[in-house]
Amino acid sequence: MYESMIATLVRIPGHDGDEIEAYVARPEAEFSRGGVVVIHHLPGWDRGSKEIARRFAELGYDVVCPNLYTREAPGASPEDAAAVARAQGGIPDERLVGDVAAAAAYLRALPTSNGKVGVIGYCSGGRQSVLAACHLDLDAAVDCYGAFVTGEVPTEFPLKVTNLVDQLPGLRAPLLGLFGAEDKYPSPEQVTQLEEILTAHGKEFEVHSYEGAGHAFFSTERPSYNVAAATDGWERIAAFFGKHLGA
């Protein structure tokens, strides 16, 4: 564990060269290490997302958490920025991939980088983590209860998203999926479909579903927080990134 760290705000060139905000957390010690891109959840680039970034820095990774809503609401609170993004139908997939690519490039350019970068996302970010791993050369991806990786998107759903069924055959990185058995989006049936597709295409993956847990079970500030599921999930994430992002 690396308790001494540097955490700061930077601006990086995102998709199409747009300058976007990003939160960076790094161990203060100088040694070769992997990097992690944290994709924030739909409620925005908030305190919880930055706490997750610092947790990965404590585990010994260089971390970047880009503000996906920089363009929609520069300088706005996470709640206001998320509201604006929702009203516009969410973040376009192509732009998300470009922003994650920029964050990965930032990490690989650091003098401490061992060249390996993983991505992790929660809620909408879980789907976006899988999306990024289908299009970018990443070394590991974690999907924490991302909705609509599989399954049909309801017609009344407010975000302009599609499932990723047609893109999953192109998955380029090992995938860890962590889900709640009581979740509706994704449902256990949708998680099973994900496993079936990845198995059919010979992809490397691990999937774990937690009985008694619903959506957002990692979120300590919500009633949905599930101590047992989150604790086990963090242990699995640490082991997974340790295996794929280590020197």
Side-chain angles (χ1 to χ4, degrees), residues 166-187:
D166 62 333
Q167 299 178 58
L168 288 172
L171 184 70
R172 301 186 190 184
L175 177 68
L176 172 64
L178 301 173
F179 306 100
E182 309 305 318
D183 204 343
K184 183 177 180 182
Y185 297 115
S187 67

Side-chain angles (χ1 to χ4, degrees), residues 7-12 20-25 37-54 63-71 73-83 85-86 91 99 103 122 124 128 221-222:
T8 188
L9 300 180
V10 301
R11 300 189 75 86
I12 63 175
I20 62 172
E21 293 177 301
Y23 185 77
V24 173
V37 179
V38 174
I39 303 178
H40 64 70
H41 57 177
L42 187 62
W45 194 57
D46 55 8
R47 177 183 293 173
S49 300
K50 297 179 179 75
E51 287 177 349
I52 288 169
R54 292 194 297 273
V63 189
V64 173
C65 180
N67 181 0
L68 302 178
Y69 303 155
T70 300
R71 302 167 184 82
S77 69
E79 296 82 4
D80 290 344
R86 281 194 188 95
I91 302 303
D99 285 353
Y122 303 77
S124 62
Q128 291 166 333
E221 297 178 351
R222 293 187 179 188

Side-chain angles (χ1 to χ4, degrees), residues 171-207:
L171 184 70
R172 301 186 190 184
L175 177 68
L176 172 64
L178 301 173
F179 306 100
E182 309 305 318
D183 204 343
K184 183 177 180 182
Y185 297 115
S187 67
E189 293 76 20
Q190 291 166 352
V191 173
T192 297
Q193 184 184 8
L194 171 63
E195 294 181 87
E196 291 172 347
I197 293 172
L198 296 180
T199 298
H201 291 277
K203 301 301 179 181
E204 182 179 352
F205 72 95
E206 302 174 34
V207 167

